[in-house]
Amino acid sequence: MADLFLGAAIGPPFQILFDCLIKIPIEKARMFKGTLIKIKETVEAMSPFIKQIEESNMALDRQSSEMKGFVLKMIEGKELVEKCTKYSKWRYMHKRPGYTTKLQDLDESLDRLLRILPLLIARTTNETQILVREIHASTIGRTDQGNHGLVSRQIEVKGYCHAPEPPDFTVGLSDSLEDLKMNLLRVDMVTEPVLVTAPPGCGKTTLIKKLCNDDQITEKFKSNILFVTVGKNPNLGLIAQELYQHKGYSVSTFKENKDSELKLEQFLREIGKEPVLLVLDDVWFGSESLVDKFVFQIPDYKILVTSRYPFPRFEHQYEMKPLSYEDAKAIFRHYASLEDGNAAIPNDLVKKAVDHCKRVPIALKLIGSSLRGQHPRIWRRQLEKWSTDGSSILSSESELLSCLQTILDVLDEKHAILKECFMDIGLFPELRRIPATALVDIFTEMHGVKEDDAIANLYELQDRNLVNIVVTRKDADEVDDYYSEHFVTQHGMLRELAIHQSKQDPQEKRKRLIVEIAGNKLPQWWNEQIEQPFNAHLVAFSTDESFTSNWCDIKLTEARVLVLNFQTKTHALPEFVKNMSKLKVLIITNYSFLPAELTNFELLDTLTNLTRIRLESISIPSLKETHVVLKKLQKLSVFMCEFGQAFTSIKISEVFPNLEELNIDYCNDLVELPSGVCDLFKLKKLSVTHCHDLSSLPEEMGNLVNLQVLRLRTCSELEKLPDSICSLSKLTFLDISDCISIRNLPENIGQLRSLTNLNMKNCWRLVELPPSVLDFKLLKDVVCDEVLKQVWEFYLPADANIELRLAKDEVNLHWLDS
């Protein structure tokens, strides 16, 4: 009879047991009365949950051995209960011990099912929500007809043009905030941009952030608040694509600016059926005409523009007022006070500092942070050096830079490496989120620090308000030494400070050579014959989408770091790369929306000291055709890249014979991990995250005998782990979090005798564990959900020294942004 029900829904066998307990005269089974009453109460408590499952047709995993075990217990339980009610106290006394044990076993099984049924229901509901969101996400990228090619989606991708949160502490902005709110809350039929202007560092962007997060503003504009940072060299096509992506519309490259303008108008008129607020932040001189591309006569469509320049062409302007002296003191005291809130700073020191900073908020904030925690004598000595001419505000950007220079003077005394790290951030383009992992590669090779110390330096810079660290994954602060979801942002004036400082030496003697090219406006020395080599150790070239010039033959024989930032569909590695014999770190980033083709890749074959490569949004060329061999490469990171035929028909271990770390993030065309990866015998860390089409791993994974860390985070199509990973005797860290298709772990996973950390958060379909988990010898930390926590507790002995940490309940759908 049991065979008929195995694999069936849980309802029928439950009903059989339930009916049996209701009908039988329990009082006749006096030897087992107490246990039977307890079983009956448990079954009655389970009834509403079983009813909910049956009525909603909930798809619990019937084929799991655990679920089959519950079904079998119920069927056998019905027969056991019937037998127990037939026995009298004296006649069958010799059978009592056996039946008592069986009844206790049934009671424990039912009690366990009662405890996990609510969790299974919640998990199945969450899983359904995820699958629904996956279906909705899959519609992004499709273009439907009608409405000018635009179709409103069920979800929005948050992050591209989302208004940032304002800082926790602000003063002196209330009046400006109320003035601007009055304008925005008024219903207008005519769209006229409003320009908010003030010198750099005076709080324009902070004001707009507060405005965009104001309750009345969000109530009116809801999800139609669009925040775009324009910057010095804006690209209309990229801005239009970011707006499309933010609202969940299909994204494709626009052929030319005229095409971008047409698409932009279609987009704004479509979303303009409801009130729209568009912020164009940080518009530079020479780019003000770009604002006209966004002006369309749409009812209740508001445009706010911020700039350090008071453009006469804008009829409606709002000039921010300077801080009052009291507000300036409040800002300085806040950032200069210690963490315990002690702000007992002598008034004469506050006055000197405020006078030196000329009441400019960013200067007050940064210089206060730089002196925080210092001895008062250091304060006095530093403040004595600063000019106190008594003027009320800074009269020029150069004066502000001179003021901010004092921050670096403070760093020079005690934190020379921290100053160097701050200067390195200037290698990346303005207003871009800088991957923390790219900075870690630079800090590690240039300053001789360990990766943990490199990240610590970034957080110390944040403590001094010199950078902001943005973490895009809500639980990414869990200590697992992987920072692919950490990004660094920086105020534009701070980047200008770093570049200004870099330019103090003659060009050929600079430690950092930072070249930014807009269109084909080349540096004066570009076309000159340069015989003298540059001394730069760190080199960065940034070009835009219209760059077409040939690279000059520049001599960079001392360079250790090369950063290439571009926006074109194809990009050639410069010929001068082949002579950079000391190069250790190569970072190539394409800032356009689609992966770009990279040519001249064969030049890397000459770089015999290259140890780290990071590629972002690149269509990786076929390594078979390039014949590249990188013998010293230890770390390869690819982010949002296309693999194509990159690793086809080659022996990967011959190309990267000494590779120790391989990171693959957000690579959507990766369906199978190339089996050649398993020949990288020196590999210690392998991370494959947010690759949603990855469905299988090579069975040869067990060949990675030196692997210590394996991350397979958020690979939503991955259904199982190869059995061979059980032979990875050095593996200490395994992360399969958010792999929602994995149903089972390898039977012998307990053979991972060195494993200390296991993250299995949001593995919704994984409802059972193999018995070999009892064989783990060093496992100390497991991250999981409620259901798996119950399963672990069922297996583990009471004295097990393993911490079971519950993951956060909220479903993380950040991968939809990829």
Side-chain angles (χ1 to χ4, degrees), residues 9 61 86 121 212 256 281 321 486 569 613 685 775:
D61 190 353
K86 295 178 181 178
I121 292 169
C212 291
E256 53 189 20
D281 186 43
K321 300 173 184 177
H486 290 61
K569 295 179 182 178
I613 294 178
K685 296 180 179 181
D775 298 331

Side-chain angles (χ1 to χ4, degrees), residues 271-340:
I271 69 169
K273 295 171 183 177
E274 301 292 336
V276 176
L277 170 58
L278 172 65
V279 175
L280 299 175
D281 186 43
D282 195 24
V283 176
W284 280 62
F285 183 79
S287 298
E288 63 271 27
S289 61
L290 181 79
V291 177
D292 296 338
K293 311 294 185 184
F294 294 88
V295 178
F296 304 101
Q297 296 311 315
I298 302 171
D300 224 3
Y301 167 40
K302 308 284 188 173
I303 302 176
L304 276 182
V305 180
T306 73
S307 179
R308 62 183 69 177
Y309 308 103
F311 301 121
R313 65 186 294 157
F314 292 104
E315 180 180 348
H316 303 283
Q317 298 201 17
Y318 184 88
E319 185 175 357
M320 290 182 65
K321 300 173 184 177
L323 280 177
S324 69
Y325 198 77
E326 291 302 314
D327 285 339
K329 289 195 297 184
I331 290 179
F332 182 79
R333 286 185 182 277
H334 175 81
Y335 289 103
S337 63
L338 299 175
E339 291 183 1
D340 60 6

Side-chain angles (χ1 to χ4, degrees), residues 77-230:
K78 181 253 185 185
E79 298 173 356
L80 177 64
V81 169
E82 288 177 340
K83 288 181 180 179
C84 289
T85 56
K86 295 178 181 178
Y87 299 144
S88 63
K89 185 173 180 179
W90 57 271
R91 190 175 176 185
Y92 296 97
M93 183 68 71
H94 63 286
K95 293 188 177 183
R96 177 173 178 173
Y99 283 112
T100 299
T101 302
K102 290 179 181 180
L103 282 174
Q104 289 173 346
D105 183 45
L106 174 62
D107 179 48
E108 289 176 2
S109 294
L110 294 175
D111 185 64
R112 171 169 154 68
L113 180 58
L114 174 62
R115 283 184 285 122
I116 72 169
L117 267 177
L119 304 175
L120 286 170
I121 292 169
R123 171 192 273 190
T124 305
T125 303
N126 280 336
E127 182 179 342
T128 303
Q129 291 172 348
I130 284 182
L131 293 175
V132 169
R133 288 184 173 98
E134 286 180 6
I135 293 169
H136 284 270
S138 68
T139 66
I140 294 178
R142 299 176 187 171
T143 304
D144 296 339
Q145 300 300 317
N147 294 324
H148 305 289
L150 298 178
V151 178
S152 180
R153 303 300 182 195
Q154 297 297 316
I155 61 171
E156 293 180 6
V157 180
K158 181 176 176 179
Y160 287 96
C161 302
H162 181 72
E165 295 287 334
D168 294 331
F169 178 80
T170 59
V171 296
L173 297 177
S174 299
D175 291 344
S176 299
L177 187 66
E178 290 304 316
D179 290 345
L180 289 172
K181 276 175 61 176
M182 286 179 61
N183 179 288
L184 296 180
L185 294 175
R186 184 177 64 243
V187 177
D188 290 324
M189 302 306 291
V190 178
T191 301
E192 292 286 349
V194 176
L195 174 66
V196 179
T197 182
C202 286
K204 300 180 295 298
T205 301
T206 300
L207 171 63
I208 302 304
K209 287 178 182 177
K210 285 182 69 67
L211 188 67
C212 291
N213 287 276
D214 178 86
D215 289 341
Q216 288 179 276
I217 297 299
T218 55
E219 182 180 355
K220 174 178 178 177
F221 295 99
K222 298 182 174 61
S223 63
N224 273 355
I225 299 176
L226 309 173
F227 192 102
V228 176
T229 305
V230 178

Side-chain angles (χ1 to χ4, degrees), residues 610-633:
L610 195 60
T611 58
R612 294 169 182 252
I613 294 178
R614 187 182 191 278
L615 305 176
E616 179 171 342
S617 195
I618 301 294
S619 182
I620 304 173
S622 170
L623 297 180
K624 179 183 179 182
E625 296 177 2
T626 58
H627 306 291
V628 172
V629 175
L630 299 170
K631 291 185 178 180
K632 284 197 174 181
L633 193 72

Side-chain angles (χ1 to χ4, degrees), residues 792-808:
W792 275 99
E793 290 173 343
F794 176 77
Y795 277 101
L796 295 178
D799 59 348
N801 189 25
I802 296 178
E803 181 182 2
L804 301 176
R805 291 194 291 129
L806 283 179
K808 297 176 182 178

